[in-house]
């Protein structure tokens, strides 16, 4: 029998985002500040992030949009409540 997984809290997801930003931006964890958090229900399994490689499956997914700041850089993350953390990069416009 598989036990249901408890959804992660906002604080747990903020911590995961700060860890990823710390590694990605090469700064200390303590130097990454959360500057904005909003609960979201993403429209798909890609957490609202568009990719060219894979099609998103329509599956409403609860999570957060979390913005962090480190070394004057702001980075926006999309998360679910199961622990996934995704940095959404804007795709270049097609010409």
């Amino acid at each position: 029998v598989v036990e249901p997984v408890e959804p992660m809290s906002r604080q747990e997801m903020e911590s995961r985002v700060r860890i990823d930003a710390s590694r990605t931006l090469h700064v200390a964890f303590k130097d990454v500040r959360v500057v904005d958090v909003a609960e979201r229900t993403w429209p798909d399994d890609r957490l609202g992030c568009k990719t060219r490689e894979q099609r998103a499956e329509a599956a409403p997914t609860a999570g957060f949009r979390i913005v962090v700041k480190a070394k004057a850089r702001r980075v926006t993350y999309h998360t679910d409540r199961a622990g996934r953390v995704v940095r959404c990069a804007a795709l270049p416009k097609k010409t």
Side-chain angles (χ1 to χ4, degrees):
V1 177
V2 176
E3 294 294 319
V5 176
E6 279 292 313
M8 292 190 153
S9 71
R10 172 181 163 168
Q11 290 77 18
E12 289 170 312
M13 295 312 301
E14 286 179 12
S15 182
R16 284 178 177 248
V17 165
R18 289 178 65 211
I19 289 167
D20 186 81
S22 171
R23 290 178 181 154
T24 303
L25 302 173
H26 307 287
V27 298
F29 177 82
K30 67 178 179 55
D31 294 331
V32 179
R33 288 193 358 256
V34 174
V35 293
D36 188 46
V37 180
E39 270 193 70
R40 292 286 167 87
T41 298
W42 304 112
D44 53 50
D45 64 349
R46 294 272 160 238
L47 306 181
C49 297
K50 306 281 188 257
T51 64
R52 290 197 175 114
E53 295 82 37
Q54 295 178 300
R55 245 181 72 167
E57 294 296 322
T61 306
F64 300 96
R65 178 183 166 274
I66 301 174
V67 180
V68 295
K69 185 175 180 182
K71 287 190 174 180
R73 287 190 60 193
R74 292 171 74 98
V75 184
T76 301
Y77 286 85
H78 293 188
T79 78
D80 63 11
R81 298 289 299 266
R84 281 194 328 163
V85 170
V86 178
R87 271 177 287 122
C88 277
L91 292 176
K93 296 197 189 275
K94 292 182 180 178
T95 55

Coordinates of all heavy atoms in Angstrom, one line a residue:
V1 N 0.9 -1.2 0.0 CA 0.0 0.0 0.0 C 0.9 1.2 0.0 O 1.8 1.3 0.8 CB -0.9 0.0 1.2 CG1 -1.7 1.3 1.3 CG2 -1.8 -1.2 1.3
V2 N 0.6 2.2 -0.9 CA 1.3 3.4 -1.0 C 0.6 4.5 -0.2 O -0.6 4.7 -0.4 CB 1.5 3.9 -2.5 CG1 2.2 5.2 -2.5 CG2 2.2 2.8 -3.3
E3 N 1.3 5.1 0.8 CA 0.7 6.1 1.6 C 0.7 7.4 0.8 O 1.7 7.7 0.1 CB 1.6 6.3 2.9 CG 1.5 5.1 3.8 CD 0.1 4.9 4.4 OE1 -0.6 5.9 4.7 OE2 -0.3 3.7 4.4
P4 N -0.3 8.3 0.9 CA -0.3 9.6 0.2 C 0.8 10.5 0.8 O 1.1 10.4 2.0 CB -1.7 10.1 0.5 CG -2.2 9.3 1.6 CD -1.5 8.0 1.7
V5 N 1.4 11.3 -0.1 CA 2.4 12.2 0.3 C 1.8 13.5 0.8 O 0.9 14.0 0.1 CB 3.4 12.4 -0.8 CG1 4.4 13.5 -0.5 CG2 4.0 11.1 -1.3
E6 N 2.2 14.0 1.9 CA 1.7 15.3 2.4 C 2.3 16.4 1.5 O 3.5 16.4 1.2 CB 2.3 15.5 3.9 CG 1.4 14.8 4.9 CD 0.0 15.4 5.1 OE1 -0.1 16.6 5.1 OE2 -0.9 14.6 5.1
P7 N 1.5 17.3 1.1 CA 2.0 18.4 0.3 C 3.0 19.2 1.1 O 2.9 19.4 2.3 CB 0.8 19.3 0.0 CG -0.4 18.5 0.4 CD 0.1 17.4 1.4
M8 N 4.0 19.7 0.4 CA 5.1 20.5 1.1 C 4.5 21.9 1.4 O 3.8 22.5 0.7 CB 6.3 20.6 0.3 CG 7.0 19.3 0.1 SD 8.6 19.5 -0.7 CE 9.5 18.1 0.0
S9 N 5.0 22.5 2.5 CA 4.6 23.8 2.9 C 5.3 24.9 2.1 O 6.3 24.6 1.4 CB 4.9 24.0 4.4 OG 6.3 24.2 4.6
R10 N 4.8 26.1 2.2 CA 5.4 27.2 1.5 C 6.8 27.4 2.0 O 7.7 27.6 1.2 CB 4.6 28.5 1.9 CG 5.2 29.7 1.4 CD 4.3 30.9 1.8 NE 5.1 32.1 1.8 CZ 4.6 33.3 1.9 NH1 3.3 33.5 2.0 NH2 5.4 34.4 1.8
Q11 N 7.1 27.2 3.3 CA 8.4 27.4 3.8 C 9.4 26.3 3.3 O 10.5 26.6 3.0 CB 8.4 27.3 5.4 CG 7.8 28.5 6.0 CD 6.2 28.5 6.0 OE1 5.6 27.4 5.7 NE2 5.6 29.6 6.2
E12 N 8.9 25.1 3.1 CA 9.7 24.0 2.6 C 10.1 24.3 1.1 O 11.2 24.1 0.7 CB 9.0 22.7 2.7 CG 8.9 22.1 4.1 CD 8.0 20.9 4.2 OE1 6.9 20.9 3.6 OE2 8.4 19.9 4.8
M13 N 9.1 24.8 0.4 CA 9.4 25.1 -1.0 C 10.3 26.3 -1.2 O 11.1 26.4 -2.0 CB 8.0 25.3 -1.8 CG 7.2 24.1 -1.9 SD 8.1 22.6 -2.4 CE 8.7 23.1 -4.0
E14 N 10.1 27.3 -0.3 CA 11.0 28.5 -0.3 C 12.5 28.0 -0.1 O 13.4 28.5 -0.7 CB 10.6 29.5 0.7 CG 9.4 30.3 0.4 CD 9.0 31.3 1.5 OE1 9.8 31.6 2.4 OE2 7.9 31.8 1.4
S15 N 12.7 27.1 0.9 CA 14.0 26.6 1.2 C 14.6 25.9 0.0 O 15.7 26.1 -0.4 CB 13.9 25.7 2.4 OG 15.2 25.2 2.7
R16 N 13.8 25.0 -0.7 CA 14.3 24.3 -1.9 C 14.7 25.3 -3.0 O 15.7 25.1 -3.7 CB 13.2 23.4 -2.4 CG 13.1 22.1 -1.6 CD 12.0 21.2 -2.1 NE 11.9 20.0 -1.4 CZ 12.3 18.8 -1.8 NH1 12.6 18.7 -3.1 NH2 12.2 17.8 -1.0
V17 N 13.9 26.4 -3.2 CA 14.2 27.4 -4.2 C 15.5 28.1 -3.8 O 16.4 28.3 -4.7 CB 13.0 28.4 -4.3 CG1 13.5 29.6 -5.1 CG2 11.9 27.7 -5.0
R18 N 15.7 28.5 -2.6 CA 16.9 29.1 -2.1 C 18.1 28.2 -2.3 O 19.2 28.7 -2.7 CB 16.8 29.6 -0.7 CG 15.8 30.7 -0.5 CD 15.7 31.1 1.0 NE 16.9 31.6 1.5 CZ 17.3 31.5 2.8 NH1 16.6 30.9 3.7 NH2 18.5 32.0 3.1
I19 N 18.0 26.9 -2.1 CA 19.1 26.0 -2.3 C 19.5 26.0 -3.8 O 20.6 26.1 -4.1 CB 18.7 24.6 -1.8 CG1 18.7 24.5 -0.3 CG2 19.7 23.5 -2.4 CD1 18.0 23.3 0.3
D20 N 18.5 25.9 -4.7 CA 18.8 25.9 -6.1 C 19.4 27.2 -6.6 O 20.4 27.2 -7.3 CB 17.5 25.6 -6.9 CG 17.8 25.4 -8.4 OD1 18.2 24.3 -8.8 OD2 17.7 26.4 -9.1
A21 N 18.9 28.3 -6.1 CA 19.4 29.6 -6.5 C 20.9 29.7 -6.0 O 21.7 30.3 -6.7 CB 18.5 30.7 -5.9
S22 N 21.1 29.3 -4.8 CA 22.4 29.3 -4.2 C 23.4 28.6 -5.1 O 24.5 29.1 -5.4 CB 22.4 28.7 -2.8 OG 23.7 28.6 -2.3
R23 N 23.1 27.4 -5.5 CA 23.9 26.6 -6.3 C 24.1 27.2 -7.7 O 25.2 27.2 -8.3 CB 23.4 25.2 -6.5 CG 23.5 24.4 -5.2 CD 22.8 23.0 -5.4 NE 22.9 22.2 -4.2 CZ 22.1 21.3 -3.8 NH1 21.1 20.9 -4.7 NH2 22.2 20.6 -2.7
T24 N 23.0 27.6 -8.3 CA 23.0 28.2 -9.7 C 23.8 29.5 -9.8 O 24.5 29.7 -10.7 CB 21.6 28.4 -10.2 OG1 20.9 27.1 -10.1 CG2 21.5 28.8 -11.6
L25 N 23.6 30.3 -8.8 CA 24.2 31.7 -8.9 C 25.5 31.7 -8.1 O 26.2 32.8 -8.1 CB 23.2 32.7 -8.2 CG 21.9 32.8 -8.9 CD1 21.0 33.8 -8.1 CD2 22.0 33.3 -10.4
H26 N 25.9 30.6 -7.5 CA 27.2 30.5 -6.8 C 27.3 31.5 -5.7 O 28.3 32.3 -5.6 CB 28.4 30.6 -7.8 CG 28.3 29.7 -9.0 ND1 28.5 28.3 -8.8 CD2 28.0 29.8 -10.3 CE1 28.4 27.7 -10.0 NE2 28.0 28.6 -10.9
V27 N 26.3 31.5 -4.9 CA 26.3 32.4 -3.7 C 25.9 31.6 -2.5 O 25.4 30.5 -2.6 CB 25.3 33.6 -3.9 CG1 25.7 34.5 -5.0 CG2 23.9 33.1 -4.0
A28 N 26.2 32.1 -1.3 CA 25.9 31.4 -0.1 C 24.4 31.4 0.1 O 23.7 32.3 -0.3 CB 26.5 32.1 1.1
F29 N 23.9 30.3 0.7 CA 22.4 30.1 0.9 C 21.9 31.3 1.7 O 20.8 31.9 1.3 CB 22.2 28.8 1.7 CG 20.8 28.6 2.1 CD1 19.9 28.0 1.2 CD2 20.3 28.9 3.4 CE1 18.6 27.8 1.6 CE2 19.0 28.7 3.8 CZ 18.1 28.1 2.8
K30 N 22.6 31.8 2.7 CA 22.2 32.9 3.5 C 22.0 34.2 2.7 O 21.3 35.2 3.1 CB 23.1 33.1 4.7 CG 24.5 33.6 4.3 CD 25.3 33.8 5.6 CE 26.7 34.3 5.3 NZ 26.9 35.4 4.4
D31 N 22.7 34.3 1.5 CA 22.6 35.5 0.7 C 21.5 35.5 -0.3 O 21.4 36.4 -1.1 CB 24.0 35.7 0.0 CG 25.1 36.0 1.0 OD1 24.8 36.6 2.1 OD2 26.3 35.7 0.7
V32 N 20.7 34.5 -0.3 CA 19.6 34.4 -1.2 C 18.3 34.7 -0.4 O 18.0 34.1 0.5 CB 19.4 32.9 -1.8 CG1 18.2 32.9 -2.7 CG2 20.7 32.5 -2.6
R33 N 17.6 35.8 -0.9 CA 16.4 36.3 -0.2 C 15.2 36.0 -1.0 O 15.2 36.3 -2.2 CB 16.5 37.8 0.1 CG 17.5 38.2 1.2 CD 17.4 39.6 1.6 NE 16.4 40.4 1.0 CZ 16.7 41.4 0.0 NH1 17.9 41.6 -0.4 NH2 15.7 42.1 -0.5
V34 N 14.2 35.6 -0.4 CA 12.9 35.5 -1.0 C 12.2 36.8 -1.0 O 12.1 37.5 0.0 CB 12.0 34.4 -0.3 CG1 10.6 34.4 -0.9 CG2 12.6 33.0 -0.3
V35 N 11.9 37.4 -2.2 CA 11.3 38.7 -2.3 C 9.8 38.7 -2.7 O 9.1 39.7 -2.5 CB 12.1 39.6 -3.3 CG1 13.5 39.9 -2.7 CG2 12.1 39.0 -4.7
D36 N 9.3 37.6 -3.2 CA 7.9 37.5 -3.5 C 7.5 36.0 -3.6 O 8.2 35.2 -4.1 CB 7.6 38.2 -4.8 CG 6.1 38.3 -5.1 OD1 5.4 38.7 -4.2 OD2 5.7 38.0 -6.2
V37 N 6.3 35.7 -3.0 CA 5.7 34.4 -3.1 C 4.2 34.5 -3.4 O 3.5 35.3 -2.8 CB 5.9 33.6 -1.8 CG1 5.3 32.2 -1.9 CG2 7.3 33.5 -1.4
A38 N 3.7 33.7 -4.3 CA 2.3 33.7 -4.6 C 1.9 32.2 -4.8 O 2.5 31.5 -5.5 CB 2.0 34.5 -5.8
E39 N 0.7 31.8 -4.2 CA 0.2 30.5 -4.5 C -0.4 30.5 -5.9 O -1.0 31.5 -6.3 CB -0.9 30.2 -3.5 CG -0.4 29.5 -2.2 CD -1.5 28.9 -1.4 OE1 -2.1 27.9 -1.9 OE2 -1.8 29.4 -0.3
R40 N -0.2 29.4 -6.6 CA -0.7 29.3 -7.9 C -1.2 27.9 -8.2 O -0.7 27.0 -7.6 CB 0.5 29.6 -9.0 CG 1.0 31.0 -9.0 CD 0.0 31.9 -9.7 NE 0.3 33.3 -9.5 CZ 1.0 34.0 -10.2 NH1 1.7 33.5 -11.2 NH2 1.2 35.3 -10.0
T41 N -2.1 27.8 -9.1 CA -2.5 26.5 -9.7 C -2.0 26.6 -11.1 O -2.6 27.4 -11.9 CB -4.0 26.3 -9.6 OG1 -4.4 26.3 -8.2 CG2 -4.4 24.9 -10.2
W42 N -1.0 25.9 -11.4 CA -0.4 25.9 -12.8 C -1.4 25.1 -13.7 O -2.0 24.1 -13.3 CB 1.0 25.3 -12.8 CG 1.9 26.0 -11.8 CD1 2.4 25.5 -10.7 CD2 2.4 27.3 -11.9 NE1 3.2 26.4 -10.0 CE2 3.2 27.6 -10.8 CE3 2.2 28.3 -12.8 CZ2 3.8 28.8 -10.5 CZ3 2.8 29.6 -12.6 CH2 3.6 29.8 -11.5
P43 N -1.4 25.5 -15.0 CA -2.4 24.8 -15.9 C -1.9 23.5 -16.4 O -2.7 22.7 -17.0 CB -2.5 25.8 -17.1 CG -1.2 26.5 -17.1 CD -0.8 26.6 -15.6
D44 N -0.7 23.1 -16.2 CA -0.2 21.9 -16.8 C 1.0 21.3 -15.9 O 1.4 21.9 -14.9 CB 0.4 22.2 -18.2 CG 1.4 23.4 -18.2 OD1 2.3 23.3 -17.4 OD2 1.2 24.3 -19.0
D45 N 1.4 20.1 -16.3 CA 2.5 19.4 -15.6 C 3.8 20.0 -15.8 O 4.8 19.6 -15.2 CB 2.5 17.9 -16.0 CG 2.8 17.7 -17.4 OD1 2.9 18.6 -18.2 OD2 3.1 16.5 -17.8
R46 N 4.0 21.1 -16.6 CA 5.2 21.8 -16.8 C 5.3 23.0 -15.9 O 6.1 23.9 -16.0 CB 5.4 22.2 -18.2 CG 5.6 21.1 -19.2 CD 7.0 20.8 -19.3 NE 7.2 19.4 -19.8 CZ 7.8 18.4 -19.2 NH1 8.3 18.6 -18.0 NH2 7.8 17.2 -19.7
L47 N 4.3 23.1 -15.0 CA 4.2 24.2 -14.0 C 4.2 25.6 -14.7 O 4.7 26.5 -14.2 CB 5.4 24.1 -13.0 CG 5.5 22.8 -12.2 CD1 6.7 22.9 -11.3 CD2 4.3 22.4 -11.6
G48 N 3.5 25.6 -15.9 CA 3.4 26.8 -16.6 C 4.6 27.3 -17.4 O 4.6 28.3 -18.0
C49 N 5.6 26.5 -17.4 CA 6.8 26.8 -18.1 C 6.8 26.2 -19.5 O 6.5 25.0 -19.7 CB 8.1 26.2 -17.4 SG 8.4 27.0 -15.8
K50 N 7.0 26.9 -20.5 CA 6.9 26.5 -21.9 C 8.3 25.9 -22.3 O 9.3 26.4 -22.0 CB 6.6 27.6 -22.8 CG 5.4 28.4 -22.5 CD 4.1 27.6 -22.9 CE 2.9 28.5 -22.7 NZ 2.1 28.1 -21.5
T51 N 8.2 24.7 -23.0 CA 9.5 24.1 -23.5 C 9.2 23.7 -24.9 O 8.0 23.4 -25.3 CB 9.9 22.9 -22.7 OG1 8.9 21.9 -22.8 CG2 10.2 23.2 -21.2
R52 N 10.2 23.7 -25.7 CA 10.1 23.3 -27.1 C 10.2 21.8 -27.2 O 9.7 21.2 -28.1 CB 11.1 24.0 -28.0 CG 10.9 25.4 -28.2 CD 11.7 26.0 -29.3 NE 11.3 27.3 -29.5 CZ 12.1 28.4 -29.4 NH1 13.4 28.1 -29.0 NH2 11.7 29.6 -29.6
E53 N 10.9 21.2 -26.3 CA 11.2 19.7 -26.4 C 10.0 18.9 -26.1 O 9.8 17.8 -26.7 CB 12.3 19.3 -25.4 CG 13.6 20.0 -25.7 CD 13.8 21.4 -25.2 OE1 13.2 21.7 -24.1 OE2 14.3 22.2 -25.9
Q54 N 9.2 19.2 -25.1 CA 8.1 18.4 -24.7 C 6.8 19.2 -24.6 O 6.8 20.4 -24.2 CB 8.4 17.8 -23.3 CG 9.5 16.9 -23.3 CD 9.8 16.4 -21.9 OE1 10.1 17.1 -21.0 NE2 9.7 15.1 -21.7
R55 N 5.7 18.5 -24.9 CA 4.4 19.1 -24.8 C 3.9 19.0 -23.4 O 4.1 18.0 -22.7 CB 3.4 18.4 -25.7 CG 2.9 19.3 -26.8 CD 2.0 18.6 -27.6 NE 0.7 18.4 -26.9 CZ -0.4 18.0 -27.4 NH1 -0.5 17.7 -28.7 NH2 -1.5 17.9 -26.7
A56 N 3.3 20.0 -22.9 CA 2.8 20.0 -21.6 C 1.4 19.3 -21.6 O 0.6 19.5 -22.5 CB 2.6 21.4 -21.0
E57 N 1.2 18.4 -20.6 CA -0.1 17.8 -20.4 C -1.0 18.7 -19.5 O -0.5 19.1 -18.5 CB 0.1 16.4 -19.8 CG 0.9 15.4 -20.6 CD 0.1 15.1 -21.9 OE1 -1.1 15.0 -21.9 OE2 0.8 14.9 -23.0
A58 N -2.2 18.9 -20.0 CA -3.1 19.7 -19.2 C -3.4 18.9 -17.9 O -4.0 17.9 -17.9 CB -4.4 20.0 -19.9
A59 N -2.9 19.4 -16.8 CA -3.2 18.8 -15.5 C -3.0 19.9 -14.4 O -1.9 20.2 -14.0 CB -2.2 17.7 -15.3
P60 N -4.1 20.5 -14.0 CA -3.9 21.6 -13.0 C -3.1 21.1 -11.8 O -3.3 20.0 -11.2 CB -5.4 21.9 -12.5 CG -6.2 21.4 -13.7 CD -5.5 20.3 -14.3
T61 N -2.1 21.9 -11.5 CA -1.1 21.5 -10.4 C -0.9 22.7 -9.4 O -0.5 23.8 -9.8 CB 0.3 21.2 -11.1 OG1 0.1 20.2 -12.1 CG2 1.3 20.7 -10.1
A62 N -1.2 22.4 -8.2 CA -1.0 23.4 -7.1 C 0.4 23.7 -6.8 O 1.2 22.7 -6.8 CB -1.8 23.0 -5.9
G63 N 0.8 24.9 -6.6 CA 2.2 25.2 -6.2 C 2.4 26.7 -5.9 O 1.4 27.3 -5.5
F64 N 3.6 27.2 -6.1 CA 3.9 28.5 -5.8 C 4.8 29.2 -6.9 O 5.5 28.5 -7.6 CB 4.8 28.6 -4.5 CG 4.1 28.0 -3.3 CD1 4.3 26.7 -2.9 CD2 3.2 28.8 -2.6 CE1 3.7 26.2 -1.8 CE2 2.6 28.3 -1.5 CZ 2.8 27.0 -1.1
R65 N 4.7 30.5 -7.1 CA 5.6 31.3 -7.9 C 6.4 32.0 -6.8 O 5.9 32.8 -6.0 CB 4.8 32.3 -8.7 CG 5.7 33.2 -9.5 CD 4.9 34.2 -10.3 NE 5.7 35.2 -10.8 CZ 6.0 36.3 -10.2 NH1 5.6 36.5 -8.9 NH2 6.8 37.2 -10.7
I66 N 7.8 31.7 -6.9 CA 8.7 32.3 -5.8 C 9.8 33.0 -6.5 O 10.4 32.5 -7.4 CB 9.3 31.1 -5.0 CG1 8.1 30.3 -4.3 CG2 10.2 31.7 -4.0 CD1 8.6 29.1 -3.5
V67 N 9.9 34.3 -6.1 CA 11.0 35.1 -6.7 C 12.0 35.3 -5.6 O 11.7 35.7 -4.5 CB 10.4 36.5 -7.1 CG1 11.5 37.4 -7.7 CG2 9.3 36.3 -8.1
V68 N 13.3 35.1 -6.0 CA 14.4 35.3 -5.1 C 15.4 36.3 -5.6 O 15.4 36.6 -6.8 CB 15.2 34.0 -4.7 CG1 14.3 33.0 -4.0 CG2 15.7 33.3 -6.0
K69 N 16.2 36.9 -4.7 CA 17.2 37.9 -5.1 C 18.5 37.5 -4.5 O 18.6 37.2 -3.3 CB 16.7 39.3 -4.7 CG 17.7 40.4 -5.2 CD 17.1 41.7 -4.8 CE 18.0 42.8 -5.3 NZ 17.6 44.1 -4.9
A70 N 19.5 37.6 -5.3 CA 20.9 37.3 -4.8 C 21.9 38.1 -5.7 O 21.7 38.0 -7.0 CB 21.3 35.9 -4.8
K71 N 22.8 38.8 -5.1 CA 23.8 39.6 -5.9 C 23.1 40.5 -7.0 O 23.5 40.5 -8.1 CB 24.8 38.7 -6.6 CG 25.8 38.1 -5.6 CD 26.9 37.4 -6.4 CE 28.0 36.9 -5.5 NZ 29.0 36.2 -6.2
A72 N 22.0 41.2 -6.6 CA 21.3 42.1 -7.4 C 20.6 41.4 -8.6 O 20.1 42.0 -9.5 CB 22.2 43.2 -8.0
R73 N 20.5 40.1 -8.6 CA 19.8 39.3 -9.6 C 18.5 38.8 -9.0 O 18.5 38.3 -7.9 CB 20.6 38.1 -10.1 CG 21.8 38.6 -11.0 CD 22.4 37.4 -11.7 NE 21.5 36.7 -12.6 CZ 21.7 35.5 -13.1 NH1 22.8 34.9 -12.9 NH2 20.8 34.9 -13.8
R74 N 17.4 38.9 -9.8 CA 16.2 38.3 -9.4 C 15.9 37.1 -10.3 O 16.1 37.2 -11.5 CB 15.0 39.3 -9.6 CG 15.1 40.5 -8.6 CD 14.1 41.6 -9.0 NE 12.8 41.2 -8.7 CZ 12.1 41.6 -7.5 NH1 12.8 42.3 -6.7 NH2 10.9 41.2 -7.3
V75 N 15.5 36.0 -9.7 CA 15.2 34.8 -10.4 C 13.8 34.3 -10.0 O 13.5 34.2 -8.8 CB 16.2 33.7 -10.1 CG1 16.0 32.4 -11.0 CG2 17.7 34.2 -10.4
T76 N 13.0 33.9 -11.0 CA 11.6 33.4 -10.7 C 11.6 31.9 -10.9 O 12.1 31.4 -11.9 CB 10.6 34.1 -11.7 OG1 10.7 35.5 -11.5 CG2 9.2 33.6 -11.4
Y77 N 11.0 31.3 -9.9 CA 10.8 29.8 -9.9 C 9.3 29.5 -9.9 O 8.5 30.2 -9.3 CB 11.4 29.2 -8.6 CG 12.9 29.2 -8.7 CD1 13.7 30.3 -8.2 CD2 13.6 28.0 -9.1 CE1 15.1 30.3 -8.2 CE2 15.0 28.0 -9.1 CZ 15.7 29.1 -8.7 OH 17.1 29.1 -8.7
H78 N 9.0 28.4 -10.5 CA 7.7 27.8 -10.3 C 7.8 26.5 -9.6 O 8.8 25.7 -9.9 CB 7.0 27.5 -11.7 CG 6.7 28.8 -12.5 ND1 6.1 28.8 -13.7 CD2 7.0 30.1 -12.2 CE1 5.9 30.0 -14.1 NE2 6.5 30.8 -13.3
T79 N 6.9 26.2 -8.7 CA 7.0 24.9 -7.9 C 5.7 24.2 -7.9 O 4.6 24.8 -8.2 CB 7.5 25.1 -6.5 OG1 6.3 25.6 -5.7 CG2 8.6 26.1 -6.3
D80 N 5.7 22.9 -7.6 CA 4.5 22.3 -7.2 C 4.5 22.1 -5.7 O 5.3 22.7 -5.0 CB 4.3 20.9 -8.0 CG 5.4 19.9 -7.7 OD1 6.2 20.1 -6.7 OD2 5.4 18.9 -8.4
R81 N 3.6 21.3 -5.1 CA 3.6 21.1 -3.7 C 4.3 19.7 -3.3 O 4.3 19.3 -2.2 CB 2.2 21.1 -3.2 CG 1.4 22.4 -3.3 CD 1.9 23.5 -2.5 NE 1.8 23.3 -1.1 CZ 0.8 23.6 -0.3 NH1 -0.2 24.3 -0.8 NH2 0.8 23.4 1.0
A82 N 4.9 19.1 -4.4 CA 5.5 17.8 -4.1 C 7.0 17.9 -4.1 O 7.7 16.9 -3.9 CB 5.1 16.8 -5.2
G83 N 7.5 19.1 -4.3 CA 9.0 19.2 -4.2 C 9.7 19.6 -5.5 O 10.9 19.9 -5.5
R84 N 8.9 19.7 -6.6 CA 9.6 20.1 -7.8 C 9.8 21.6 -7.9 O 8.9 22.4 -7.5 CB 8.7 19.7 -9.0 CG 8.8 18.3 -9.4 CD 8.3 17.9 -10.7 NE 7.2 18.8 -11.1 CZ 6.7 18.9 -12.3 NH1 7.3 18.2 -13.3 NH2 5.7 19.6 -12.6
V85 N 11.0 22.0 -8.3 CA 11.4 23.4 -8.4 C 11.9 23.6 -9.8 O 12.8 22.9 -10.3 CB 12.5 23.7 -7.4 CG1 13.1 25.1 -7.6 CG2 12.0 23.6 -6.0
V86 N 11.3 24.6 -10.6 CA 11.6 24.8 -11.9 C 11.9 26.3 -12.1 O 11.1 27.2 -11.8 CB 10.5 24.4 -12.9 CG1 10.9 24.7 -14.4 CG2 10.2 22.9 -12.7
R87 N 13.1 26.6 -12.7 CA 13.4 28.0 -13.2 C 12.8 28.1 -14.6 O 13.2 27.4 -15.5 CB 14.9 28.3 -13.2 CG 15.4 28.7 -11.9 CD 16.9 28.9 -11.9 NE 17.6 27.6 -11.9 CZ 18.4 27.2 -12.9 NH1 18.7 28.0 -13.9 NH2 18.9 26.0 -12.8
C88 N 11.9 29.1 -14.7 CA 11.3 29.3 -16.1 C 12.1 30.3 -16.8 O 12.1 31.5 -16.5 CB 9.8 29.7 -15.9 SG 8.7 28.4 -15.7
A89 N 12.7 29.9 -17.9 CA 13.4 30.8 -18.7 C 12.5 31.2 -19.9 O 11.8 30.4 -20.4 CB 14.7 30.2 -19.3
A90 N 12.5 32.5 -20.2 CA 11.6 33.0 -21.3 C 12.2 32.4 -22.6 O 13.4 32.5 -22.8 CB 11.6 34.5 -21.3
L91 N 11.4 31.9 -23.4 CA 11.8 31.4 -24.8 C 12.0 32.6 -25.7 O 11.2 33.5 -25.6 CB 10.8 30.4 -25.3 CG 10.7 29.1 -24.6 CD1 9.5 28.3 -25.3 CD2 11.9 28.3 -24.7
P92 N 13.0 32.5 -26.6 CA 13.2 33.6 -27.5 C 12.0 33.6 -28.5 O 11.4 32.6 -28.8 CB 14.4 33.3 -28.3 CG 15.0 32.1 -27.6 CD 14.1 31.5 -26.7
K93 N 11.5 34.8 -28.9 CA 10.4 34.9 -29.8 C 10.8 34.4 -31.1 O 11.9 34.6 -31.6 CB 9.9 36.4 -29.9 CG 9.4 36.9 -28.6 CD 8.6 38.2 -28.8 CE 8.3 38.9 -27.6 NZ 7.1 38.4 -26.9
K94 N 9.8 33.7 -31.8 CA 10.1 33.2 -33.1 C 10.0 34.4 -34.1 O 9.2 35.3 -34.0 CB 9.0 32.2 -33.5 CG 9.1 30.9 -32.7 CD 8.1 29.9 -33.2 CE 8.3 28.6 -32.3 NZ 7.2 27.6 -32.7
T95 N 10.9 34.4 -35.1 CA 10.9 35.5 -36.1 C 10.4 35.0 -37.4 O 10.3 33.8 -37.7 CB 12.3 36.1 -36.2 OG1 13.2 35.0 -36.5 CG2 12.7 36.8 -34.9

